[in-house]
Amino acid sequence: DQRFLYILSPKTGGESPTELQYQTVDVQIGASSFTDGIANTDKMIAQGASSPAGQFCSAARSALLGGYNDWYIPAPYEFYMLSHINSYMPVEEQMSGEYLTSREEGSNRFISFNVNDGSWSIYYKTTSPRRVRLIRKIHVSEFVPA
């Protein structure tokens, strides 16, 4: 059973305060999933300092943002799913504009997602920084309402 609940990070600590590069070097890392942001993000983190976006996520995991260490950068499909609930979130937590997704396109490009209009764009990894917003997911069977 593949039913998950996606949890958007709080803006403080979970959204980069500045735009970040996907990578600082043009290297294909195998982060090619449209649906598995965890696998993509783990590949970004493994790049160390050459992936500023991956480093941001790694820092949030280490800091136990919200008490959790399983934050990641969404894949395009996951961002699409989250964009449908954006208007239901408190205004101060809503997303706006373009965000970097964890999916790369070959050695030198990545996919971004525009929350405002639901569009995708492809940009160069080293010269087109975008904001990062982290998410986590839990299996529906793990959800226990408060």
Side-chain angles (χ1 to χ4, degrees):
D1 187 4
Q2 295 297 319
R3 292 180 293 170
F4 294 100
L5 295 172
Y6 293 97
I7 301 165
L8 186 65
S9 69
K11 263 194 176 176
T12 302
E15 180 171 301
S16 61
T18 60
E19 294 181 334
L20 301 172
Q21 292 167 283
Y22 188 102
Q23 284 179 273
T24 58
V25 294
D26 288 332
V27 175
Q28 189 165 1
I29 61 173
S32 59
S33 179
F34 270 99
T35 59
D36 188 354
I38 294 171
N40 290 347
T41 301
D42 287 346
K43 290 172 181 168
M44 294 171 72
I45 290 171
Q47 298 303 302
S50 69
S51 178
Q55 293 264 277
F56 175 76
C57 183
S58 181
R61 286 180 178 180
S62 294
L64 295 175
L65 177 63
Y68 299 97
N69 67 352
D70 56 355
W71 298 102
Y72 65 95
I73 301 167
Y77 175 76
E78 293 167 320
F79 242 126
Y80 173 75
M81 296 299 292
L82 284 167
S83 70
H84 293 297
I85 63 161
N86 195 45
S87 63
Y88 297 102
M89 294 187 297
V91 173
E92 65 275 6
E93 292 295 326
Q94 288 181 5
M95 298 178 288
S96 180
E98 281 191 291
Y99 289 85
L100 180 145
T101 75
S102 59
R103 177 178 161 84
E104 68 179 347
E105 285 289 312
S107 64
N108 64 349
R109 296 179 297 163
F110 71 94
I111 295 177
S112 76
F113 184 74
N114 188 318
V115 176
N116 297 348
D117 63 14
S119 66
W120 313 98
S121 297
I122 297 176
Y123 291 104
Y124 289 101
K125 290 178 177 180
T126 62
T127 59
S128 304
R130 293 290 180 269
R131 281 178 298 152
V132 174
R133 185 75 178 259
L134 303 177
I135 68 169
R136 56 186 298 267
K137 69 179 176 181
I138 61 171
H139 193 272
V140 171
S141 66
E142 297 173 57
F143 178 68
V144 179

